[in-house]
Amino acid sequence: MNGRAAGGPLARVAGWSRSLRSLMVVAALLVSVAVTLAVYLATQAVFTQAVQRAGVQNAQVLADGTFNAMYQIMRQGWTREQLNEFLGSLNQQADPGAVINVYRGSQVDQQYGRIEQPAPDDTALAAFDTRETHVRADEDLVRYDRPLVAHAECLQCHTNARAGDVLGVLSIRQPIGPMIDQAHSDLVNRLMLIMPAPLLTALAVAGFLSWRLGRSLRRLNRSVGQVKRVEDLAHVRFSGASTGFTEFDDVLSRVDVLTDKVREVAIDRNLLEFEIGLLEHFVITSDVVRDWRRYVRDLLHEINRQFRVHGVFTAFSIADRPVGVDVFWHDAADEVVAARLEQEIRSRVGQTFEGTSGSVTPRQHPGHGGRALGDVAALDLHTKTLTMELPPMQGMVGLIVPMGEARVPVKKLVIESILSTMINVVGSVRAIEKHTEDLEYFATRDPLTRLYNQRMFWSLLDYEVGRARRHDYRFGLMVIDLDDFKRVNDRYGHGFGDDYLRRVAGLLQGGLRDGDIVARYGGDEFVAILPDTDAGTAEQVGERLLSRAQATFIAAPDGEIVSPSLSVGLAIGPVEDGGGASAQAVFSLADQAMYRAKEAGKNRLASAGRDEVLAIGEVVETGQDVVSAVSAGTVYPVFQPVMRVASEEAVGFEVFARVQVGERVAAAAEFVDVLTREQLCDLVDRRVVGRVLRDDRLAGFGGLVFFNIAPTSLLEGRFVHYFLDAVERSPLAADQVVVEISESPITGELGMLEQPLSDLRAAGVRLAIDRAGSGPETFSYLRRFAFDFIKIEAEWLCDRKVSQRDRAFIDGLLTIAETLGVTVIAHNIETDSQLELVRGLAIEMAQGYRFAEEVEGLPVGQPSFSSEEG
């Protein structure tokens, strides 16, 4: 409480001391008092010294007069009575208050006898001793002591003295204290009369200064009070203000400089809040991608809540598309303004997009705001450009703002900020739009040839079968295989092979009729659907394709001319398969016809005619039997041992699926394609995995169990969960289970395998690449995923006659496997010579390449499973 009570007055005093007027009054008062005191002290000292000098002079005059009177009397001779009378009359004749004493020396007393007088004090004795006059003045008394020195004429009377002896001392005491006190009193009285003059003068000066400064200060206060935004600083100007003082005028002129600098660097709070609020709208959503033009219109409306923008234009060129220009108006604009701005936009776009101004037709989006813009000279256009590589895109965004806005530094920054953000957002939206279109396109297209892919083909074929049944008409289906493509690919490389496939795709598209559909089924195999076509017309189309192929010549990298060769199988649908017409039935007919064309010598057309139906129908029936067998559950596993080459010990087993069809076991080549087409691979893999891992005979087995799983099964969302659940319930540890995947999965699914393989790896399951080197994905697999094993065909690994290129590929693969710590398994060792070569490779490559025989620490047991020879 006391602290607060004390703090209040102190605060008021502190505030009062910061007032210029109060400070000037106090300063004037203090100066007046100080000057008066200084004058008093100086004058007092002067008066004191003057009185002291007057006292000394008066004492000197008394001393001279007294000495002269004594000398005159002494020359006439005097008696003791005259001497006493003279000494008695000295103080009567002196100035009031003055005391005169004459002290006789010892020589005078000896000659004339002693008289009654005061004994000399120390000052008088000093005059006797030094023979010099002693003068001392203080604030109360002036003391003057003159020695009486004997001269030659004095020796006539003072016979016992010599010239220069001190015969006596004349001492005068002059009191001066009363005179000094009186002088000081008079001085104080006069100073009291003149002391108010400096104070009044100081107050007058303070008032004058306050009046002179008040005008500019009031002007400053009014100007500062009007500042609400950064733009208002433009009205704070003092270039014409005059305080009457050069120094203050200079200060006010510097205020103008300061406000100019502040305008350049300051950020208006409202504009900052506007930009922050605007950023909240720069969010890309699916709605924005779907209707980006509406997003720009809404954004323009939000911008105009705080910052005046008459319109926005966008110009983008994506990939090989022409430049598209959109102009969005916030305010209504008359035709003249719109035409002039359109001309300017054409010019800007032409400069940016390589002279395309003549072909640009801006799309106008009219505004809905207020009075129509009628003065194009009052508008200014600010633009920003953007270039992207993926997807290849050029873009430009422009703001139509009032003329002169960019001259204000802060507004120029806002314009640049809006432009940068808008071009990035709109550019991103357009890029996403392009990517979305590409995704939609390539979901149904083959990336290499741009034909429909296999998935789209089956959808279109199902649709065509259904439509043919509903409208009772016929259609044709061709299965087209590119003859000897592997030879072309191996001889000239995959780059030329891709170009070769693209040329064949173009050949097929050009040879079909309008409305016909061609797709790439996979690899070097194509299919074509010929709607509303009879057998004769379809055969004509097929013959035309063969003719075009024979007339097509493709230059190989070595200069050789290559001509495509096609084997075409034709079937007419729809085909009844017992349960109604099916796409699979007509496809099987065309596929078998294609194989007959190959067997007949290639480069020809084979048609599934009426007299050939029975032979082909047997094959179809076999495929149906496979499907029925899988549905009935006649799928069982067989096992192939994985051996150490050196010791021929089994370190594990590879599991294969076999299908019982009637009385015989179908080979893999007979049912794999059927399972793939019927999308039954994951069903078969589930049954094999469940049957093996549930077998109690695995208890105590310490080796590895390899499962060959189809990539399509791994891509089925629930399969990995099923597989890991089966591993957890089995007698095996997770690291005893190895999942093999084919080296060549379905095209484009390599990235899609990342999640299932990561889930398997995280659970402890090991991974292997089956038949490594048979396709182009081995290195991609090893680079992207962590594998434990790679299986290489022994025939390819051990063949010393392979080309130098293949040998470099083999050596590189082995080097990568060693570097990554991946175990190499020689697959399908069928001869003793291959076995010896594998052993020799292990010895020859003693730098550390690891083959199956070098796997250590794996407990080996012999499970009581049947095994398939091989």
Side-chain angles (χ1 to χ4, degrees), residues 842-859:
I843 297 172
E844 176 184 345
M845 299 181 182
Q847 295 89 339
Y849 293 95
R850 298 194 302 162
F851 287 84
E853 71 274 17
E854 294 181 77
V855 176
E856 299 178 358
L858 294 175

Side-chain angles (χ1 to χ4, degrees), residues 771-799:
R771 301 179 184 273
S774 62
E777 282 82 16
T778 298
F779 292 113
S780 297
Y781 268 134
L782 292 174
R783 180 175 62 85
R784 297 185 64 167
F785 309 118
F787 283 91
D788 301 279
F789 305 95
I790 58 174
K791 294 170 62 178
I792 303 176
E793 288 289 333
E795 181 179 4
W796 184 61
L797 180 65
C798 301
D799 189 358

Side-chain angles (χ1 to χ4, degrees), residues 454-487:
Q454 182 185 136
R455 183 178 302 169
M456 190 63 183
F457 159 72
W458 283 107
S459 297
L460 294 172
L461 183 57
D462 285 336
Y463 173 77
E464 193 63 31
V465 169
R467 191 173 70 159
R469 291 186 62 187
R470 288 192 302 272
H471 299 284
D472 192 22
Y473 74 85
R474 312 289 286 171
F475 69 89
L477 176 65
M478 288 192 294
V479 175
I480 306 164
D481 188 80
L482 188 55
D483 298 327
D484 301 321
F485 176 68
K486 186 177 186 303
R487 179 181 61 81

Side-chain angles (χ1 to χ4, degrees), residues 597-615:
K598 279 189 173 293
E599 292 171 358
K602 303 178 182 180
N603 196 28
R604 64 194 63 211
L605 170 69
S607 178
R610 182 179 299 274
D611 55 346
E612 297 170 339
V613 171
L614 292 178

Side-chain angles (χ1 to χ4, degrees), residues 331-460:
D331 303 299
D334 62 23
E335 295 181 359
V336 175
V337 171
R340 290 288 299 276
L341 260 297
E342 180 176 322
Q343 183 179 358
E344 177 64 21
I345 290 171
R346 285 173 180 264
S347 176
R348 299 278 183 102
V349 172
Q351 295 171 5
T352 303
F353 295 88
E354 300 179 357
T356 58
S357 59
S359 60
V360 171
T361 303
R363 179 180 177 183
Q364 299 279 348
H365 302 271
H368 305 286
R371 188 175 59 183
L373 299 173
D375 185 8
V376 72
L379 304 180
D380 201 358
L381 189 62
H382 296 269
T383 61
K384 203 171 193 68
T385 59
L386 171 72
T387 301
M388 295 178 63
E389 294 183 359
L390 289 175
M393 180 175 68
Q394 269 189 298
M396 173 185 288
V397 169
L399 291 183
I400 305 169
V401 298
M403 180 65 70
E405 285 290 278
R407 297 175 185 174
V408 180
V410 174
K411 290 190 175 181
K412 182 178 180 181
L413 290 175
V414 174
I415 291 172
E416 289 296 321
S417 175
I418 295 174
L419 282 172
S420 298
T421 309
M422 286 193 67
I423 196 167
N424 284 316
V425 172
V426 177
S428 300
V429 169
R430 301 303 304 276
I432 294 173
E433 183 183 47
K434 177 63 168 59
H435 280 301
T436 302
E437 292 176 358
D438 290 345
L439 288 174
E440 293 174 351
Y441 179 83
F442 287 112
T444 61
R445 299 280 178 167
D446 169 56
L448 178 64
T449 62
R450 303 300 174 94
L451 300 177
Y452 286 119
N453 57 23
Q454 182 185 136
R455 183 178 302 169
M456 190 63 183
F457 159 72
W458 283 107
S459 297
L460 294 172

Side-chain angles (χ1 to χ4, degrees), residues 121-132:
D121 55 12
D122 293 338
T123 304
L125 292 176
F128 276 108
D129 294 337
T130 61
R131 299 180 184 181
E132 294 179 355

Side-chain angles (χ1 to χ4, degrees), residues 507 540-552 563 566 603:
L507 179 154
Q540 292 177 3
V541 174
E543 291 172 359
R544 184 165 64 246
L545 292 179
L546 292 175
S547 299
R548 287 175 62 88
Q550 292 175 353
T552 300
S563 181
L566 304 178
N603 196 28

Side-chain angles (χ1 to χ4, degrees), residues 657-677:
R658 291 294 180 262
V659 177
Q660 183 80 28
V661 181
E663 298 297 326
R664 70 183 183 88
V665 176
E670 297 181 52
F671 65 81
V672 169
D673 288 342
V674 176
L675 295 180
T676 301
R677 291 172 186 172

